[in-house]
């Protein structure tokens, strides 16, 4: 029965949504049995569940007794099939003897595939979505228009639709449960980390207040206590700002930015570098900043991005080696790079560095939100932040921002 082999080439469909639909049909254990029953009851040599869209006809499950050659994932040209007509009219088609049928004797589909008997019933979900067709073909004529045969096809199509709906409900439920579990774990981690990191500056502030009371007559001791309180308050303010930025990034559409045209980005980046040098006089920071001309950005956010990247490099970089900062123009992009030597980030962990609460070491150092916030700032400017790390070349964070005017 080689005449049934399609004359038009078939190809595998790579679209992820189609692959998901094929997998959904594969999860319905009853489908293979239903197709066998259709073939055994009607005498048809080939039956299939097909995903049918405006552009594609793709086999999801098949019962092939005539070496038609179509496997799940195989595609037929949509216009060559009668399923296309069924989808257009939303009406099932049953043919007993195509060459003698007054309507289909001249239709191109029976000629292309050299078939005489045919059946195709739409598979529609309760919300009106057209999933595809339950269809069958054979080179010999068969009585497909008998009421019991048509009723059987209609019933099987409805059963498949019900199972698809059940599968989708299950998938949605699983997704919601997973999201809830992740949210719960995130909340617990967030509370634990925030509680830990706020406790230290609060203790320092409390101790400073006690010292102020005890040393009210000692100006030097008062200044020392006041400086400790100031540092602790600044640290707490930074933690709170990170929390707010994190909340905006997770709960909204990303960290908000106010884009304005400016010609002082280079000077602002040099200012950030100078501040970090002053805060870490024992460390060497080598800067090469060459950003001239107008850009459109949120200047404070870009400064925050560089500040976080520099602080991260100083924290994790080799103390005896300098930290490198580069900022330059590349076409329409402003590129900011921060590099440090030291222990590289393992390749299997490099993709996690921008996750919230991720730390390169087990030691608790801040909330672990700095790199996440940097990535969100880059995204809010239409750019992206990437990381590379190796023992030979060190660790480099690169922000590429399409903000040049």
């Amino acid at each position: 029965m080689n005449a049934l082999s399609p004359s038009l080439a078939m190809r595998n469909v790579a679209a992820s949504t189609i692959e998901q639909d094929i997998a959904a049909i594969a999860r319905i254990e009853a489908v293979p049995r239903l197709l066998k029953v259709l073939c055994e009851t009607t005498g048809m040599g080939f039956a299939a569940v097909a995903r049918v869209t405006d552009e594609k006809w793709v086999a999801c499950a098949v019962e092939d007794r005539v070496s038609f050659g179509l496997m799940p994932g195989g595609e037929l040209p949509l216009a060559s099939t009668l399923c296309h007509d069924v989808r257009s009219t939303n009406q099932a088609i049953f043919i007993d003897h195509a060459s003698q049928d007054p309507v289909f004797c001249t239709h191109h589909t029976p000629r292309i595939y050299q078939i005489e008997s045919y059946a195709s019933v739409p598979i529609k979900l309760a919300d009106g979505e057209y999933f595809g067709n339950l269809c069958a073909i054979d080179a010999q004529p068969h009585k497909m228009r008998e009421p019991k045969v048509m009723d059987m096809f209609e019933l099987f199509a409805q059963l498949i639709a019900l199972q698809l709906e059940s599968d989708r409900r299950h998938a949605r439920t699983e997704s919601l449960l997973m999201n809830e579990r992740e949210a719960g774990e995130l909340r617990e981690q967030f509370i634990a980390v925030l509680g830990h990191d706020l406790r230290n500056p609060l203790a320092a502030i409390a101790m400073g207040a006690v010292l102020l009371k005890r040393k009210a007559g000692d100006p030097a001791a008062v200044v020392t206590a006041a400086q400790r309180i100031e540092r602790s308050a600044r640290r707490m303010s930074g933690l709170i700002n990170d929390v707010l930025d994190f909340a905006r990034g997770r709960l909204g559409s990303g960290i908000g930015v106010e884009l304005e045209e400016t010609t002082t980005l280079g000077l602002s980046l040099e200012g950030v570098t100078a501040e970090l040098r002053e805060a870490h006089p024992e460390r060497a920071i080598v800067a090469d900043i060459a950003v001239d001309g107008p850009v459109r950005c949120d200047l404070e956010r870009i400064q925050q991005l560089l500040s976080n990247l520099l602080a991260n490099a100083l924290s994790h970089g080799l103390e005896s080696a300098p930290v490198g900062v580069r900022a330059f123009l590349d076409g329409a992009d402003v590129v900011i790079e921060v590099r440090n030597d030291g222990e590289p980030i393992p390749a299997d962990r490099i993709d996690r560095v921008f996750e919230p609460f991720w730390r390169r070491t087990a030691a608790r150092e801040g909330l672990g939100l700095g790199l996440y916030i940097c990535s969100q700032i880059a995204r809010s400017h239409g750019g992206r932040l990437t990381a590379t790390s190796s023992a030979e070349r060190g660790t480099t964070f690169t922000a590429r921002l399409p903000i040049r005017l």
Side-chain angles (χ1 to χ4, degrees):
M1 202 159 172
N2 293 331
L4 270 174
S5 297
S7 59
L8 297 177
M10 296 176 294
R11 62 184 184 274
N12 288 331
V13 181
S16 60
T17 53
I18 296 294
E19 291 175 353
Q20 292 170 4
D21 293 332
I22 294 172
I25 292 296
R27 286 192 293 270
I28 303 176
E29 297 179 0
V31 166
R33 182 56 184 166
L34 294 179
L35 296 180
K36 287 181 182 294
V37 169
L38 288 178
C39 290
E40 291 171 358
T41 302
T42 63
M44 302 291 271
F46 179 89
V49 175
R51 179 72 168 101
V52 182
T53 69
D54 287 332
E55 300 177 348
K56 295 182 180 294
W57 186 106
V58 185
C60 296
V62 300
E63 172 69 11
D64 188 358
R65 302 185 176 191
V66 291
S67 300
F68 186 64
L70 194 63
M71 301 293 291
E75 181 180 359
L76 295 177
L78 179 62
S80 74
T81 70
L82 278 168
C83 292
H84 176 59
D85 298 56
V86 174
R87 191 178 195 277
S88 299
T89 63
N90 203 30
Q91 297 293 323
I93 293 177
F94 294 93
I95 304 173
D96 291 344
H97 200 164
S99 60
Q100 297 180 11
D101 190 286
V103 176
F104 295 100
C105 63
T106 59
H107 197 282
H108 62 271
T109 295
R111 293 201 309 271
I112 290 174
Y113 298 109
Q114 300 181 35
I115 59 176
E116 289 290 348
S117 49
Y118 179 87
S120 181
V121 176
I123 299 173
K124 294 187 63 176
L125 307 186
D127 61 1
E129 177 188 344
Y130 194 104
F131 178 85
N133 295 61
L134 175 62
C135 52
I137 59 174
D138 198 83
Q140 301 300 320
H142 295 282
K143 295 181 178 180
M144 304 304 298
R145 289 181 175 173
E146 290 186 351
K148 63 179 182 181
V149 172
M150 293 190 292
D151 289 346
M152 179 175 61
F153 271 86
E154 295 281 0
L155 176 60
F156 285 2
Q158 292 172 13
L159 289 173
I160 293 170
L162 289 172
Q163 288 298 314
L164 283 170
E165 291 168 353
S166 176
D167 182 80
R168 291 186 178 184
R169 285 195 298 270
H170 179 74
R172 286 194 294 269
T173 300
E174 284 292 317
S175 177
L176 289 173
L177 288 174
M178 183 175 295
N179 289 340
E180 185 59 32
R181 284 195 294 268
E182 291 177 352
E185 292 173 0
L186 190 62
R187 283 193 296 269
E188 292 176 5
Q189 188 177 17
F190 181 82
I191 292 170
V193 173
L194 183 61
H196 177 279
D197 286 337
L198 280 176
R199 188 179 294 116
N200 289 339
L202 280 172
I205 288 175
M207 182 175 293
V210 171
L211 287 175
L212 284 176
K213 290 180 181 179
R214 292 178 180 177
K215 305 291 184 178
D218 185 348
V222 170
V223 170
T224 299
Q227 289 174 339
R228 180 181 299 172
I229 290 175
E230 183 182 12
R231 287 194 300 270
S232 297
R234 189 181 300 116
R235 183 180 172 193
M236 290 177 66
S237 177
L239 290 171
I240 292 169
N241 288 336
D242 283 351
V243 169
L244 292 174
D245 285 340
F246 170 72
R248 294 186 188 104
R250 296 287 289 194
L251 302 179
S253 57
I255 290 179
V257 293
E258 296 181 6
L259 303 179
E260 296 180 353
E261 183 175 342
T262 178
T263 58
T264 63
L265 178 58
L267 291 174
S268 299
L269 296 179
E270 290 174 356
V272 171
T273 305
E275 288 178 5
L276 269 294
R277 281 200 186 100
E278 183 178 348
H280 300 271
E282 76 287 357
R283 300 293 298 275
I285 300 176
V286 179
D288 179 12
I289 297 174
V291 180
D292 299 319
V295 298
R296 185 173 179 79
C297 68
D298 187 321
L299 198 57
E300 291 186 2
R301 287 296 191 183
I302 301 299
Q303 289 179 298
Q304 181 184 6
L305 181 148
L306 178 57
S307 179
N308 283 356
L309 292 180
L310 261 176
N312 178 76
L314 290 167
S315 176
H316 297 289
L318 194 65
E319 293 186 3
S320 59
V323 170
V325 179
R326 290 182 67 210
F328 57 93
L329 302 175
D330 184 16
D333 297 338
V334 172
V335 181
I336 301 172
E337 292 181 349
V338 176
R339 179 192 173 280
N340 65 268
D341 291 311
E343 183 178 351
I345 304 171
D348 60 348
R349 300 173 68 187
I350 194 72
D351 291 337
R352 297 193 58 203
V353 297
F354 302 118
E355 294 179 4
F357 305 122
W358 188 87
R359 286 181 173 81
R360 196 183 308 187
T361 63
R364 292 186 181 274
E365 302 165 354
L367 288 173
L369 294 175
L371 293 178
Y372 168 79
I373 291 171
C374 287
S375 69
Q376 293 297 307
I377 292 173
R379 182 177 298 179
S380 294
H381 283 80
R384 62 193 301 259
L385 180 64
T386 57
T388 60
S389 189
S390 68
E392 298 78 16
R393 299 184 178 181
T395 299
T396 301
F397 288 88
T398 303
R400 181 170 287 273
L401 312 172
I403 59 176
R404 186 182 182 187
L405 296 177

